[in-house]
């Protein structure tokens, strides 16, 4: 089994989900007492959030690149950035290590395409919804990406940082997200990408009339696929 390197803490709420999912998925596939081989570097999210707000992405990238070097030194065979937004610096992180970085956007886009969907809504932080780094990655897979209007983007972003990153899950916010999802469907979205790892704490498939694509789970599934690809436990 390959060792999965996790760059987490952005926020730790969703990083905990990564750890749970990786171990559950390995147990499901291998049975018994099997669990995932992984190493985690958890950053201080307050530092990263300040750099995001200031637009100091290169400095934020330096922090994550250092984390990636740490998990590689600890034995990681592949690296995951456990957040959608910080994939803005994915190339900087990949350049810092010799092991492959498994891009969350690629794993998500492949799942959307497998579902036969080409026009998809995207929920995430304002950075993810409004900047090109993530939408262009999805578009490179042939997807037509829709984002909420300005008011919807503001609401989605605010709930992520002021509630979900703090572990707060409110029914009022769930209902507001469902309204945003309905607006994307009205514009032609055939499915919705939950493009922030915390959103899965609030929205599940039961809350949407169209397929939702939970990026944390999809990223974890792709990582386990890679980690077990060369492993034969039949004997």
């Amino acid at each position: 089994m390959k060792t999965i390197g996790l760059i987490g803490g952005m926020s730790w709420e969703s990083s905990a989900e990564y750890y749970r999912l990786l171990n559950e998925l390995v147990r499901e596939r291998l049975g018994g007492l099997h669990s995932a081989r992984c190493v985690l570097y958890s950053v201080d999210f307050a530092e990263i959030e300040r750099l995001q707000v200031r637009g100091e992405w290169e400095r934020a990238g330096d922090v994550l690149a250092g984390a990636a070097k740490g998990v590689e030194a600890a034995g990681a065979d592949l690296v995951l950035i456990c957040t959608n937004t910080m994939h803005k610096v994915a190339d900087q992180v990949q350049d810092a290590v010799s092991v492959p970085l498994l891009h969350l956007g690629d794993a998500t886009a492949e799942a959307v395409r497998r579902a036969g969907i080409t026009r998809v809504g995207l929920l995430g932080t304002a950075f993810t919804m409004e900047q090109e780094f993530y939408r262009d990655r999805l578009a490179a897979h042939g997807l037509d990406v829709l984002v909420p209007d300005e008011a919807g983007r503001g609401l989605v972003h605010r709930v992520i940082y002021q509630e979900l990153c703090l572990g707060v899950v409110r029914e009022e916010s769930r209902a507001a997200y469902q309204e945003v999802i309905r607006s994307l469907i009205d514009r032609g979205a055939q499915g919705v990408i939950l493009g922030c790892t915390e959103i899965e704490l609030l929205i599940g498939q039961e809350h949407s009339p169209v397929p939702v694509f939970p990026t944390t789970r999809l990223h974890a599934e792709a990582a386990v696929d890679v980690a077990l690809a060369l492993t034969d436990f039949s004997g």
Side-chain angles (χ1 to χ4, degrees):
M1 188 190 311
K2 293 182 179 180
T3 300
I4 302 168
L6 305 171
I7 304 175
M10 300 167 285
S11 67
W12 71 260
E13 298 281 350
S14 62
S15 299
E17 284 294 291
Y18 265 94
Y19 185 72
R20 179 183 65 81
L21 287 166
L22 289 170
N23 283 291
E24 287 181 353
L25 289 164
V26 169
R27 183 177 62 193
E28 288 171 9
R29 299 187 191 188
L30 301 182
L33 296 176
H34 284 292
S35 57
R37 287 180 179 165
C38 57
V39 291
L40 168 66
Y41 189 114
S42 190
V43 304
D44 179 1
F45 189 34
E47 176 187 0
I48 298 297
E49 190 270 342
R50 283 195 297 270
L51 295 173
Q52 290 175 340
V53 171
R54 295 172 184 168
E56 298 180 19
W57 294 100
E58 185 171 355
R59 287 186 59 190
D62 287 341
V63 175
L64 268 61
K69 291 176 182 177
V71 296
E72 181 179 30
D77 298 301
L78 66 151
V79 174
L80 276 62
I81 302 174
C82 301
T83 165
N84 287 271
T85 298
M86 292 311 296
H87 276 74
K88 182 175 175 69
V89 299
D91 289 343
Q92 190 176 346
V93 174
Q94 178 63 88
D95 289 344
V97 294
S98 60
V99 297
L101 182 146
L102 184 59
H103 199 290
L104 192 156
D106 293 340
T108 300
E110 288 166 8
V112 175
R113 292 301 302 267
R114 285 196 302 270
I117 289 174
T118 56
R119 195 170 207 200
V120 67
L122 172 63
L123 303 181
T125 67
F127 310 111
T128 299
M129 292 185 289
E130 295 174 0
Q131 298 184 22
E132 296 178 351
F133 70 94
Y134 198 84
R135 291 185 284 111
D136 284 357
R137 190 83 179 201
L138 298 173
H141 290 265
L143 299 180
D144 180 14
V145 182
L146 304 175
V147 297
D149 61 18
E150 184 176 359
R153 296 195 303 273
L155 181 146
V156 170
H157 180 89
R158 185 166 56 253
V159 169
I160 290 168
Y161 279 88
Q162 296 181 11
E163 297 177 21
L164 300 179
C165 285
L166 301 174
V168 176
V169 177
R170 299 173 63 240
E171 286 299 325
E172 298 91 335
S173 296
R174 178 175 289 123
Y177 266 52
Q178 288 177 290
E179 285 294 327
V180 174
I181 289 172
R182 279 190 284 270
S183 72
L184 290 169
I185 295 170
D186 289 343
R187 291 166 52 200
Q190 303 162 306
V192 177
I193 293 173
L194 307 182
C196 173
T197 50
E198 283 81 17
I199 293 178
E200 288 157 68
L201 303 175
L202 185 68
I203 296 293
Q205 185 57 67
E206 68 272 21
H207 302 121
S208 171
V210 298
V212 298
F213 296 90
T215 54
T216 302
R217 174 170 284 278
L218 294 172
H219 206 194
E221 289 174 348
V224 171
D225 286 344
V226 173
L228 300 183
L230 301 180
T231 305
D232 180 7
F233 286 93
S234 59

